[in-house]
Amino acid sequence: MCTGGCAKCLGGTLIPLALFGFLANILLFFPGGKVIDNNDHLSEEVWFFGGILGSGVLMIFPALVFLGLKNNDCCGCCGNESCGKRFAMFTSTIFAVIGFLGAGYSFVISAISINRGPKCLMDNRTWGYPFHDGDYLNDEALWSKCRQPADVVPWHLTLFSILLVIGGVQMLLCAIQVVNGLLGTLCGDCQCCSCCGGDGPV
C-alpha cells in the first residue's frame, strides 16, 4: 500500500476510536450511570479529560490530516513544487507525534485511575478511595467497600479500561504513521510517478 493510502486507512480508524474515547470520558461523569449531586464526589482522574482531550480532540486533527493525504497534490500546492507530497507526509509525521502524545496521556491517566479505583462513599460515611494498589482488581469482595454510587466500581473499571485500550491502539496507529510518514518523506508516494513530467516518484 502506498504511504498516502496507508495514512488514509489509519485516519479512518482513528476517527471512531476518538469518538468512543470522547463518549467513554463523558460517561465517567455519571458514576454507576447516575447523576451525582456533588462534583467533588467524582474521581479526580475524570477531570483530567484523558478521553476528551487526549484520545479525543488531540486525535481528531491528526486523523483528518491523515485522511487528506490520499488526495494531496503530488506535484505541489498552489503551483509550488517545493510543497508537495513529501512535505505533506513530513507534516503528517508531526501530527502523528502529537496524536501519540495525546493517546499516551489518556493511556497513563486511565492506568493510574484503574490502579487507584473509584472515589465513592465508604463504610465510615466519607467519600474517598477505599482501594490500594489495585487490590480490588483481583478480589470482587472488596467492591463492597464502596457504598455509593451503586455499581460505581464496575462502571469505573469498564470505562477506564476502554480508554486504556483505545489509548494503546491509538498510540500504535500513530507510531505506524510516524514510520509511514518518514518513508513518504524520504521516498515519496508510489502514486506520484511522472505527475510533474518526471520519470520517478515525487
Side-chain angles (χ1 to χ4, degrees):
M1 181 184 292
C2 300
T3 54
C6 179
K8 183 177 181 180
C9 179
L10 294 175
T13 305
L14 287 172
I15 291 291
L17 287 175
L19 295 177
F20 280 127
F22 193 95
L23 178 60
N25 201 147
I26 292 295
L27 291 175
L28 284 168
F29 284 95
F30 305 94
K34 302 173 181 63
V35 178
I36 61 174
D37 298 329
N38 191 339
N39 287 337
D40 291 336
H41 295 163
L42 290 172
S43 298
E44 291 180 359
E45 292 79 13
V46 176
W47 295 104
F48 293 160
F49 302 111
I52 295 176
L53 293 179
S55 289
V57 175
L58 287 179
M59 197 57 60
I60 291 295
F61 294 110
L64 293 177
V65 171
F66 301 163
L67 287 172
L69 287 175
K70 182 69 174 179
N71 299 320
N72 186 267
D73 182 7
C74 301
C75 306
C77 52
C78 301
N80 183 3
E81 294 185 10
S82 65
C83 174
K85 197 69 167 184
R86 294 176 186 268
F87 181 76
M89 293 304 295
F90 176 74
T91 302
S92 77
T93 302
I94 297 176
F95 276 94
V97 172
I98 295 174
F100 184 90
L101 293 176
Y105 172 76
S106 178
F107 185 90
V108 171
I109 293 300
S110 300
I112 292 174
S113 188
I114 290 173
N115 183 67
R116 190 181 191 186
K119 188 176 187 178
C120 60
L121 182 65
M122 301 181 292
D123 292 334
N124 59 6
R125 307 304 298 175
T126 62
W127 288 80
Y129 300 89
F131 308 119
H132 304 282
D133 298 325
D135 54 357
Y136 74 102
L137 296 174
N138 298 318
D139 188 358
E140 286 191 23
L142 295 177
W143 293 12
S144 61
K145 289 184 177 182
C146 278
R147 298 299 183 184
Q148 292 181 7
D151 301 320
V152 65
V153 178
W155 185 269
H156 177 96
L157 181 59
T158 299
L159 290 176
F160 271 113
S161 294
I162 290 174
L163 287 175
L164 185 74
V165 172
I166 289 176
V169 173
Q170 288 176 330
M171 290 172 66
L172 176 61
L173 295 179
C174 286
I176 292 175
Q177 178 53 28
V178 169
V179 176
N180 182 58
L182 290 176
L183 289 175
T185 301
L186 297 174
C187 304
D189 190 280
C190 63
Q191 294 182 348
C192 295
C193 299
S194 303
C195 66
C196 295
D199 296 327
V202 176

